Amino acid sequence: MPFLGQDWRSPGWRWVKTEDGWKRCEPFSPALEDGSNQLNDISHTVIITGDEENEEVYSSEDCEFAAKKRKKDHFRNNTDSQCFYREKWIYVHKESTKERHGYCTLGEAFNRLDFSSAIQDIRRFNYVVKLLQLIAKSQLTSLSGAAQKNYFNILDKIVQKVMEDQYNPRLIKDLLQDLSSTLCILIRGVGKSVLVGNINIWICRLETILLWQQQLKNLQMNKQVNNGLTLSDLPLHMLNNILYRFSDGWDIITLGQVTPTLYMLSEDRQLWKKLCQYHFAEKQFCRHLIPSEKGHIDWKLMYFALQKYYPIKEQYGDTLHFCRHCSILFWKDTGHPCTASDPNTCLMPVSPQHFIDLFKF
């Protein structure tokens, strides 16, 4: 059987049917493709080196080789972009089979699932930040060199987004704090732990993190001038309804600092009791009862006390999904090639911690 690729181990070229017949399609950028087409269309190219006598004639094969080399150099030098993959899903396999050799790693999944685009979606922003925070705490050394580079590129984009949009800076501050603490430990213990790359690279990355922290510390929130209806103009029952929708205690405290009315509503005992009941089981908060001066239970203090001992429930607008039938991890709106008769029954949302656990062996 004739081979369709340059290497017998490769899956072969991708072909597209046109009016003139089948043509080979390469997954490169349109600008580069146009440049290579111009070179390929010329059968012989004359390059003037200075004198008309000293001219070199290159065949079309030489031009094609030069175009390919230029493409490779472009992708090697493009450090700000994520790894290029057509599919935005990954097959999660933990052992070798006849069909597949080896297993899927955390670094592979991190490169394939397009987190660089996910942070631009407000529904996925918190999810990606939480995932990066979990990786920073315990799984940073599990990433490959390319995945670590990709990790810091995405982190840079997150910081720039927060600086521009001023969206939820508290999350990224916590992430950078955990990451800087981890890097300090790893840099001190060099030789005892696995750090991909030169130690000077990691010192530069740590300095960049400290610079980001300083920028976020000096971040000034822009005051929006709006002559229309504001949050303070809403009736009390609607404001109370908004507070009851929050699942994070710090968000309630922050909103309570806006106006005296919101502060009064944010101190409601019933609000904090509902929050405790949502995040923690009855047995858990019965062990940590904190009475107030009047003899009542201080549900606000108890919420933050329980948060130190037990994990709280996490809510995200959108998450990664795992197909139990195909063993594929993917973003739901991008889909995946599922072979199940009813794919929706096989889907399972994946939390950030579950994502990390999928790649522990």
Side-chain angles (χ1 to χ4, degrees), residues 21 30 32 44 66-67 73-74 79 107 109 131 165 175 201 339 356:
L32 293 176
H44 291 84
D73 293 339
H74 169 79
T79 57
L131 180 58
D165 301 345
L175 166 59
I201 296 176
T339 58
I356 300 294

Side-chain angles (χ1 to χ4, degrees), residues 125-137:
F125 183 84
N126 293 357
Y127 182 89
V128 177
V129 171
K130 182 62 177 180
L131 180 58
L132 264 63
Q133 187 175 14
L134 291 176
I135 292 176
K137 287 181 178 179

Side-chain angles (χ1 to χ4, degrees), residues 35-51:
S36 64
N37 287 339
Q38 293 175 2
L39 291 175
N40 292 334
D41 290 340
I42 303 173
S43 59
H44 291 84
T45 304
V46 179
I47 300 179
I48 307 291
T49 59
D51 300 328

Side-chain angles (χ1 to χ4, degrees), residues 87 89 326 328 335-340:
E87 298 84 6
W89 50 266
C326 306
I328 287 179
H336 74 288
C338 187
T339 58

Side-chain angles (χ1 to χ4, degrees), residues 17-72:
K17 189 175 183 180
T18 64
E19 295 179 356
D20 300 329
W22 289 89
K23 289 187 177 182
R24 192 177 71 201
C25 178
E26 297 183 19
F28 296 113
S29 62
L32 293 176
E33 192 67 29
D34 293 341
S36 64
N37 287 339
Q38 293 175 2
L39 291 175
N40 292 334
D41 290 340
I42 303 173
S43 59
H44 291 84
T45 304
V46 179
I47 300 179
I48 307 291
T49 59
D51 300 328
E52 293 183 0
E53 297 178 355
N54 299 327
E55 60 182 21
E56 299 179 4
V57 180
Y58 290 89
S59 63
S60 59
E61 293 181 357
D62 295 330
C63 294
E64 184 178 357
F65 175 79
K68 287 183 178 180
K69 185 177 184 303
R70 186 169 57 145
K71 292 173 185 178
K72 289 181 180 179

Side-chain angles (χ1 to χ4, degrees), residues 195-223:
L195 270 177
V196 179
N198 190 284
I199 186 64
N200 294 325
I201 296 176
W202 287 97
I203 292 176
C204 290
R205 286 173 175 171
L206 181 58
E207 291 175 352
T208 303
I209 292 171
L210 296 177
L211 176 62
W212 286 338
Q213 288 178 315
Q214 188 63 36
Q215 290 176 348
L216 290 171
K217 185 178 180 180
N218 298 332
L219 179 64
Q220 297 292 331
M221 294 294 181
N222 296 329
K223 292 184 178 180

Side-chain angles (χ1 to χ4, degrees), residues 253-320:
I253 292 177
T254 303
L255 185 60
Q257 295 173 351
V258 177
T259 62
T261 303
L262 287 171
Y263 175 77
M264 176 194 68
L265 295 175
S266 67
E267 293 295 316
D268 183 23
R269 289 180 61 253
Q270 191 65 23
L271 171 66
W272 290 98
K273 181 180 179 179
K274 290 288 184 182
L275 196 63
C276 288
Q277 291 175 341
Y278 172 75
H279 287 289
F280 310 105
E282 188 175 352
K283 293 181 180 179
Q284 292 174 339
F285 58 74
C286 284
R287 297 173 185 172
H288 303 274
L289 292 177
I290 302 177
S292 62
E293 297 178 355
K294 298 180 180 180
H296 301 294
I297 299 174
D298 195 330
W299 293 102
K300 181 179 178 181
L301 289 178
M302 198 164 76
Y303 168 81
F304 290 104
L306 291 171
Q307 200 177 24
K308 298 177 181 178
Y309 298 101
Y310 310 105
I312 62 175
K313 292 182 181 179
E314 298 174 352
Q315 285 186 338
Y316 302 102
D318 190 16
T319 67
L320 287 169

